[in-house]
Amino acid sequence: MNSIRSRQVQIASRSDVGRVRSANQDVCGEFENADGYRLLVVADGMGGHQGGETASRLALETIGGIFERDFGAAETLLVRAFRAANDEIHRVGASDPALHGMGTTGVAILIGPSDEGWVAHVGDSRAYRLRDGRFDQITEDHSWVCEEVRQGRISAEEASVHPMRNVLLRSIGVGSEVDPSAAAIDLRSGDCFLLCSDGLWGELDDPAIAEVLARESPSSAAAELVDLANAHGGRDNVTVLVATVIDADEAPAIAMGVDGPTEGPAPSRSDSQPDAAALHAKCDSPGQRSIWTPPVVIAAVLVTVMALFWRLCA
Ligand code: CA
């Protein structure tokens, strides 16, 4: 099927500092090439104000730069781009004491011109898909609680309130290497994809997110989701990128609003075992997300003891 001329991708995004933090360390962006490929990226930086902002910006620029200048095979593009981002962030962090140890999460979708797409991520920024009324998370967080759920040691409900819920097992740029999770995805007309930082899914549950995506156009959905996250507390930066895939000849039949083929902004600002060296702690305190350093190790030990106590009492 050659749908290069018939497929439309409606894209909209919104990134907001939230109600508590003083700086926005999230970024998002979209890219398009002459062959009809679209790249969508969300990154969520950590490592102090300057470090977090720098890391997420470098991730977006590097991943977008690989897409624009060194595309190669579509199947391997996202993994190569994430690894290039890791190299760049790690290199810059190692050369500047003020940025030492900075890192970022990242999630990206590559939408091909036909029916193929690819998704990749590192950390707990997520991708979801709404298809025929069914809303699925299509990435699996690289987080301590997600691993505990996977191993059957805690429930998803326990994970959502667990004191260790902000500990990441992988991130981009902190270690000298990164292992992105990547997978091929099929594309169908009417599919709606959502990329977001944890500032969204930490405030809203899946049914609330899905209801907005099913009801609104991408631009209205992006705005409403950010507003809802802020209304629920806005304790973190919140970033959403919504993309709906529509075959042009079916567009009138898709009830997804009146957004044009693209309305996204210019760039705004293979699984393995968790790498202990890349273990990160994301702090809930406003404006801060610190990375695995000696004080954080001490704090994490205390949190672990609390977690064990919490589990015994649960
Ligand atoms: Ca965040």
Side-chain angles (χ1 to χ4, degrees), residues 21 26 44-45 124 197-199 236-237 282 289:
R21 301 197 172 193
D26 289 359
D44 175 357
D124 64 358
S197 61
D198 63 337
D236 197 355
N237 305 148
K282 304 192 303 178
R289 300 174 82 204

Side-chain angles (χ1 to χ4, degrees), residues 94-249:
S95 65
D96 185 342
L99 302 175
H100 182 71
M102 67 177 173
T104 183
T105 69
V107 60
I109 285 184
L110 179 64
I111 296 175
S114 59
D115 297 330
E116 276 190 307
W118 295 266
V119 61
H121 80 290
V122 171
D124 64 358
S125 289
R126 293 181 176 177
Y128 295 87
R129 180 185 62 206
L130 179 66
R131 170 182 284 175
D132 298 333
R134 177 177 168 146
F135 187 61
D136 292 309
Q137 183 183 336
I138 59 174
T139 54
E140 204 166 59
D141 297 348
H142 300 141
S143 66
W144 186 88
V145 291
C146 187
E147 186 63 27
E148 291 297 292
V149 171
R150 201 160 31 229
Q151 299 290 334
R153 289 192 280 265
I154 62 173
S155 69
E157 290 71 28
E158 289 171 324
S160 67
V161 294
H162 198 285
M164 296 275 281
R165 65 186 179 280
N166 287 328
V167 174
L168 293 183
L169 301 180
R170 299 186 211 178
S171 68
I172 305 170
V174 177
S176 59
E177 296 182 355
V178 71
D179 187 14
S181 292
I185 53 175
D186 66 310
L187 304 174
R188 295 185 198 168
S189 184
D191 281 348
C192 178
F193 294 96
L194 167 69
L195 305 185
C196 64
S197 61
D198 63 337
L200 181 73
W201 60 257
E203 300 288 5
L204 303 178
D205 60 20
D206 285 7
I209 296 172
E211 189 275 329
V212 174
L213 291 175
R215 168 167 47 81
E216 296 293 347
S217 68
S219 63
S220 298
E224 184 169 338
L225 288 171
V226 168
D227 289 346
L228 283 173
N230 283 329
H232 279 73
R235 290 165 288 186
D236 197 355
N237 305 148
V238 56
T239 298
V240 301
L241 194 158
V242 182
T244 301
V245 179
I246 302 174
D247 285 347
D249 54 356

